[in-house]
Amino acid sequence: MSLFDLPPDITELEDSDEAIVVVRGEGAVVLMTRTAEELFGVSSEDIVGEFVETLVPEKKRSGRQAYRPGYLAETADRERDPGPFSEIERPDGTIVPIAARLEPIRVDGELYVAAHVSERERTPEESEAAAEEG
């Protein structure tokens, strides 16, 4: 999908200084800001059209996919629940803890979700688990 095919409510997010990833309701990425590209370590060209789960560590992807139906059943602008989906995996394998706020955007009957993402400090439990894995 081209940026030109997206509604203006979505394309206007592209110029944000914030790290934002926008997905369609079914989970395919349609837009990623430059700040998000830097945070995730991928370019928009490589991720647009792919499912957002490709940004989640592989061992946690199936659980992440199970989360979507619950969110879609009760969409709301809210902080992402902390838990096993609060980290991303860069292409080089680096795991980065994140915080995210999910913002549903409805345009002409179609649902998009803008994830406003920021890096966060690891919890003591995450640091301990990372040390055990490494």
Side-chain angles (χ1 to χ4, degrees):
M1 161 168 288
S2 157
L3 194 57
F4 300 109
D5 298 334
L6 294 171
D9 294 18
I10 303 302
T11 58
E12 70 185 17
L13 296 172
E14 183 183 37
D15 295 326
S16 175
D17 290 336
E18 192 176 357
I20 302 174
V21 178
V22 180
V23 300
R24 287 188 187 270
E26 81 283 353
V29 175
V30 297
L31 183 140
M32 180 180 266
T33 64
R34 289 181 203 262
T35 306
E37 289 178 331
E38 292 169 10
L39 176 63
F40 287 84
V42 298
S43 71
S44 291
E45 293 87 29
D46 293 338
I47 198 68
V48 168
E50 299 294 326
F51 282 94
V52 71
E53 284 78 21
T54 61
L55 300 171
V56 175
E58 190 170 343
K59 64 185 175 186
K60 297 181 180 182
R61 286 183 188 163
S62 63
R64 172 64 182 81
Q65 290 169 335
Y67 175 83
R68 188 178 305 115
Y71 177 78
L72 295 177
E74 190 179 324
T75 57
D77 190 341
R78 63 179 179 230
E79 294 298 317
R80 176 92 166 106
D81 298 335
F85 316 118
S86 57
E87 52 189 26
I88 58 169
E89 183 173 11
R90 292 183 176 142
D92 67 2
T94 304
I95 303 296
V96 179
I98 60 162
R101 180 177 60 84
L102 303 180
E103 173 192 9
I105 304 170
R106 291 194 187 275
V107 181
D108 298 328
E110 183 154 12
L111 175 65
Y112 298 86
V113 177
H116 301 258
V117 184
S118 60
E119 190 169 350
R120 64 173 176 78
E121 293 293 320
R122 289 188 184 276
T123 65
E125 294 82 14
E126 289 171 326
S127 295
E128 187 175 304
E132 290 175 4
E133 287 179 11

